[in-house]
Amino acid sequence: MSRVEENKELVEFMSNLAKEKPSGTFEEMTCFQLGTIATMLGDISKSLAILADKAESEDKEK
């Protein structure tokens, strides 16, 4: 699975979770939003690590 497909799947998953829980206390919604943000940041970190590894291996080949 490509990173684009993984990212699309993650966004769809988080979107579905948000639809399932449309209301709640302020604290519940804040926790959900912070969890979503943390998940997205983790995904960005993974993508950046993959790009860095690829760039490093290309540099070693030169």
Side-chain angles (χ1 to χ4, degrees):
M1 179 181 292
S2 72
R3 288 299 299 148
V4 172
E5 292 169 332
E6 286 182 37
N7 288 341
K8 183 179 178 184
E9 186 177 295
L10 177 64
V11 169
E12 288 173 355
F13 175 75
M14 296 309 287
S15 177
N16 288 336
L17 282 180
K19 288 175 186 173
E20 289 175 11
K21 189 169 181 55
S23 63
T25 65
F26 176 77
E27 289 80 12
E28 289 173 333
M29 294 309 295
T30 300
C31 287
F32 177 79
Q33 290 171 343
L34 289 174
T36 301
I37 292 167
T39 301
M40 296 296 186
L41 289 174
D43 191 61
I44 291 168
S45 175
K46 181 178 176 182
S47 294
L48 290 174
I50 290 169
L51 290 172
D53 289 345
K54 183 178 178 183
E56 185 177 338
S57 68
E58 288 174 356
D59 285 344
K60 287 182 180 179
E61 291 176 3
K62 291 181 180 182

